[in-house]
């Protein structure tokens, strides 16, 4: 199956797909339409939602008996096809969502895989603990976060989430439950984290949380006039910051190429917050239901929709950038939830992208090559008439997970709107961008990918890593029971 097929599958195609589901004795009443988070690809799967490990084992057995494959899905927040398994069994793990053990003294938590980041921080914050790594939405599950080894706005400081997972239980395709940590089944530990759900299913994950002394962060926002300034800000502030994230106006060109805003945040030291008991309470962290106290958040995406074209987004970006410049740097205190989960302020914002949805492209480039490569990428998107609508810039560090996207470098996450008219042009553009990334010794990230090819994947991961991963797959899942659209597209 070619990568483009994933992006080009339309809703209209998928109703036809119901009748094409391979003949099996799987009951038809579990058939559901499943979308990538970005809604640019859809498929039909037999979806099951177990609540226990025994229930999971039964589904593995069902797959064997019916000649089906099993895909694993957490919150379904991967932009592409990592959590999709068209025409086969897809296990949605969100009902396995109990916190199994919590020690407020040590900050060690053990969770079922369907526990969301929202559940987790809401459970631990009043005891003075925050997840060491969080994604831009709190709807992700701990199983999905481990499955793709997610990173946060502090990735260069603390690495990906896998660096904080101390152990996990993995249900293998055989039905055997195996415990893994850094000393015990270490190969599997380092491959299943980031192993996109094809080596086994996490049934419990143990993680060390981060102590905090306030529900607030000290946040500073300022604008940067171009890409060079963006890079120098990051390099100068890395040591003194806990979090930094950049927003880039991908429409700006010439001497303003790469202009945007940077947001830096630091934890408050012990004693700096006079009312920590209040600020760490849930009601203090609650994201408001209305914007400006008037407009319900649930309908904001409708107001965004008319601007989701090149002209509209150019105008919005220019206004946002100029607003950021007005009055210079801004400093203030913000609740953790408000700083981290900005995207959750506007529920369903992806619907503003329209029927075709969006894809994200997030290359990671070593720091020596990043500025030139990102400049080339931004320019090429503009030349092709496909500037991306949301661009987020982060700093990373290397880690020791087999299928890692981490490196001593930068990433730039770019959202492309997909329409019937631009679909194939966007896919061709991503192939041109792949060349720039590979030439700069860069990497890609399965959580965001929809368009990579097998050859590109092998080139960036390297032959050693790919072969080692395939060997582990053969050892722990010789019959290829665990699969996904992404696995078939890039590995099988
Ligand atoms: C608005 C938004 C912001 C985001 N921000 C960030 C960010 O800041 N940083 C970042 O790194 N990513 C980010 N992402 C991507 C997202 O965090 C990842 O795709 C994450 O893996 C999604 O978690 P999920 O629970 O939704 O998992 P899913 O998308 O459902 O699944 C992810 C992968 O994990 C596997 N999996 C799921 N459960 C299990 C299990 N129990 N055992 C084994 N494998 C399993 C699946 O097969 C799949 O391959 C963002 C996504 C969105 C939509």
């Amino acid at each position: 199956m070619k990568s483009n097929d994933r992006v080009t599958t339309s809703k209209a195609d998928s109703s036809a797909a119901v009748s094409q589901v391979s003949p099996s004795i799987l009951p038809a009443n579990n058939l559901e339409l499943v979308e990538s988070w970005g809604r640019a690809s859809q498929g039909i799967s037999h979806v099951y939602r177990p609540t226990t490990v025994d229930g999971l084992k039964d589904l593995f057995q069902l797959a064997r008996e019916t000649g089906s494959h099993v895909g694993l899905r957490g919150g379904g927040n991967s932009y592409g096809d990592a959590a999709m398994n068209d025409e086969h069994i897809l296990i949605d793990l969100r009902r396995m969502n109990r916190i199994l053990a919590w020690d407020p003294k040590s900050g060690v938590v053990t969770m079922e895989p369907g526990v969301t980041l929202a559940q987790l921080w809401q459970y631990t914050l009043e005891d003075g603990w925050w997840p060491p790594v969080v994604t831009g939405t709190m709807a992700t599950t701990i199983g999905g976060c481990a499955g793709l080894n997610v990173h946060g706005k502090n990735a260069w400081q603390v690495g990906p989430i896998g660096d904080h997972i101390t152990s996990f239980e993995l249900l293998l395709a055989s039905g055997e439950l195996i415990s893994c940590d850094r000393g015990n089944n270490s190969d599997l530990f380092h491959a299943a984290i980031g192993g996109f759900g094809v080596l086994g299913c996490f049934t419990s994950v143990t993680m060390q949380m981060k102590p905090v002394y306030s529900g607030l962060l000290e946040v500073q926002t300022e604008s940067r006039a171009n890409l060079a300034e963006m890079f120098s800000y990051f390099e100068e502030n890395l040591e003194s910051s806990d979090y930094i994230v950049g927003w880039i106006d991908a429409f700006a060109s010439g001497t303003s190429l790469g202009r945007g805003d940077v947001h830096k945040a630091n934890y408050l030291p012990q004693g700096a917050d006079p009312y920590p008991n209040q600020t760490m309470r849930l009601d203090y962290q609650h994201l408001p239901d209305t914007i400006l106290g008037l407009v319900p958040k649930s309908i904001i995406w409708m107001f965004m929709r008319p601007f989701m074209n090149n002209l509209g987004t150019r105008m919005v970006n220019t206004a946002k950038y100029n607003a950021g410049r007005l009055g210079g740097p801004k400093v203030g205190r913000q609740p953790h939830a408000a700083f981290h989960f900005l995207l959750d302020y506007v529920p369903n914002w992806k619907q503003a992208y329209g029927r075709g949805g969006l894809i994200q492209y997030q290359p990671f480039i070593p720091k020596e090559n990043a500025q030139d490569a990102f400049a080339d990428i931004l320019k090429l998107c503009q030349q092709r008439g496909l500037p991306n609508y949301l661009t987020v810039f982060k700093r990373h560090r290397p880690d020791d997970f087999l299928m890692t996207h981490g490196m001593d470098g930068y990433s730039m996450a770019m959202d492309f709107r997909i329409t019937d008219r631009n679909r194939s042009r966007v896919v061709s553009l991503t192939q041109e961008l792949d060349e720039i990334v590979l030439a700069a010794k860069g990497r890609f990230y399965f959580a965001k990918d929809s368009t990579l090819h097998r050859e590109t994947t092998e080139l960036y991961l390297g032959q050693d890593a790919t072969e080692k991963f395939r060997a582990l797959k053969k050892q722990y899942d010789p019959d290829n029971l665990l699969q996904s659209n992404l696995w078939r597209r890039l590995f099988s």
Side-chain angles (χ1 to χ4, degrees):
M1 193 174 286
K2 285 200 300 258
S3 59
N4 318 19
D5 295 341
R6 293 275 63 80
V7 181
T8 52
T9 305
S10 70
K11 280 199 173 108
D13 298 336
S14 44
S15 52
V18 182
S19 57
Q20 289 164 14
V21 169
S22 48
S24 73
I25 54 167
L26 286 169
N29 54 2
N30 286 87
L31 282 172
E32 286 181 22
L33 174 71
V34 179
E35 292 184 321
S36 59
W37 187 85
R39 302 170 72 223
S41 74
Q42 291 88 19
I44 299 288
S45 295
H46 296 268
V47 180
Y48 291 85
R49 298 185 177 83
T51 52
T52 61
V53 176
D54 282 343
L56 255 178
K57 285 184 185 172
D58 290 346
L59 288 169
F60 282 20
Q61 185 56 28
L62 178 69
R64 288 191 182 288
E65 286 165 4
T66 55
S68 185
H69 305 300
V70 172
L72 303 175
R73 188 171 173 96
N77 293 284
S78 295
Y79 277 72
D81 55 2
M84 296 176 71
N85 194 26
D86 293 357
E87 301 180 17
H88 288 270
I89 290 177
L90 184 65
I91 304 183
D92 176 338
L93 289 143
R94 281 177 298 180
R95 289 175 73 209
M96 291 180 68
N97 62 358
R98 289 173 306 154
I99 293 189
L100 300 170
W102 168 235
D103 180 356
K105 287 207 170 61
S106 65
V108 174
V109 61
T110 300
M111 301 154 275
E112 285 189 328
V115 167
T116 59
L117 290 188
Q119 248 181 295
L120 177 60
W121 73 258
Q122 288 171 11
Y123 195 82
T124 61
L125 184 59
E126 280 200 46
D127 291 331
W129 301 90
W130 181 258
V133 170
V134 295
T135 52
T137 170
M138 52 175 139
T140 51
T141 63
I142 195 68
C145 287
L148 289 170
N149 205 8
V150 300
H151 57 263
K153 300 173 181 78
N154 53 354
W156 87 96
Q157 288 279 26
V158 305
I161 200 160
D163 278 353
H164 308 273
I165 293 176
T166 50
S167 63
F168 57 76
E169 301 264 300
L170 196 70
L171 184 68
L172 300 176
S174 62
E176 184 194 350
L177 207 52
I178 184 168
S179 303
C180 300
D181 56 40
R182 284 181 176 75
N184 192 15
N185 296 312
S186 158
D187 274 3
L188 194 52
F189 181 88
H190 288 97
I193 294 180
F196 46 94
V198 299
L199 293 180
C201 180
F202 302 111
T203 56
S204 80
V205 175
T206 300
M207 188 165 79
Q208 174 65 59
M209 300 285 281
K210 156 93 189 157
V212 290
Y213 304 104
S214 166
L216 296 169
L217 292 167
E218 192 79 44
V219 180
Q220 186 180 332
T221 304
E222 61 184 271
S223 53
R224 302 274 94 194
N226 52 44
L227 205 53
E229 280 197 16
M230 187 67 82
F231 273 90
S232 58
Y233 181 93
F234 267 77
E235 289 303 315
E236 284 159 18
N237 285 277
L238 288 178
E239 256 180 52
S240 62
S241 312
D242 291 318
Y243 299 95
I244 316 183
V245 63
W247 163 79
I248 288 179
D249 171 9
F251 287 80
S253 56
T255 52
S256 299
L257 186 83
R259 74 179 182 185
D261 296 339
V262 279
H263 304 264
K264 151 188 167 135
N266 284 77
Y267 297 110
L268 298 189
Q270 202 161 7
D273 179 356
Y275 308 109
N277 290 346
Q278 277 181 34
T279 60
M280 290 198 282
R281 273 176 37 191
L282 281 195
D283 43 7
Y284 199 89
Q285 299 286 325
H286 182 67
L287 299 180
D289 293 327
T290 55
I291 299 241
L292 303 174
L294 287 173
V295 188
K297 280 196 316 182
S298 54
I299 61 165
I300 294 288
W301 68 268
M302 295 180 197
F303 294 96
M304 293 164 61
R305 196 155 176 173
F307 295 95
M308 281 297 175
N309 50 60
N310 283 3
L311 181 63
T313 309
R314 179 190 286 274
M315 281 164 40
V316 170
N317 281 5
T318 305
K320 177 171 158 52
Y321 175 71
N322 287 327
R325 280 191 87 78
L326 267 181
K330 294 160 192 69
V331 184
R333 289 185 176 179
Q334 224 182 351
H336 291 270
F339 175 77
H340 288 291
F341 308 122
L342 192 65
L343 294 169
D344 291 342
Y345 264 98
V346 185
N348 298 323
W349 58 269
K350 62 184 173 182
Q351 291 193 32
Y353 277 82
R355 196 173 60 89
L358 72 152
I359 63 164
Q360 192 175 93
Y361 186 87
Q362 185 179 13
F364 293 67
I365 312 265
K367 65 175 191 300
E368 313 74 55
N369 305 335
Q371 193 175 325
D372 287 345
F374 288 153
D376 289 346
I377 286 174
L378 289 168
K379 281 188 223 159
L380 187 63
C381 295
Q382 292 174 1
Q383 279 162 19
R384 297 286 178 266
L386 294 165
N388 54 85
Y389 289 1
L390 180 65
T391 313
V392 175
F393 193 62
K394 286 186 197 148
R395 185 73 161 87
H396 301 267
R397 77 176 191 194
D399 56 68
D400 51 7
F401 296 94
L402 190 58
M403 306 307 266
T404 182
H405 55 275
M407 60 169 60
D408 186 7
Y410 285 87
S411 73
M412 189 164 75
M414 303 179 281
D415 288 2
F416 291 97
R417 182 182 176 195
I418 301 293
T419 64
D420 290 341
R421 286 179 59 201
N422 79 5
R423 203 175 290 262
S424 58
R425 284 197 300 128
V426 174
V427 172
S428 309
L429 170 65
T430 60
Q431 255 107 75
E432 287 185 275
L433 299 179
D434 289 353
E435 304 274 317
I436 298 176
V437 176
L438 287 178
K441 301 191 173 14
R443 303 178 83 88
F444 302 90
Y445 182 24
F446 296 141
K448 310 297 180 72
D449 176 56
S450 301
T451 57
L452 273 179
H453 284 277
R454 194 169 313 171
E455 303 73 35
T456 323
T457 309
E458 287 203 9
L459 279 172
Y460 95 77
L461 284 171
Q463 209 179 346
D464 282 359
T466 318
E467 277 174 11
K468 200 166 172 197
F469 192 77
R470 283 184 193 287
L472 287 166
K473 175 75 174 157
K474 207 166 173 186
Q475 180 182 351
Y476 291 107
D477 183 13
D479 301 327
N480 241 338
L481 189 81
L482 291 165
Q483 298 198 14
S484 64
N485 290 4
L486 182 136
W487 164 257
R488 288 188 286 277
R489 173 163 63 91
L490 300 181
F491 291 93
S492 75

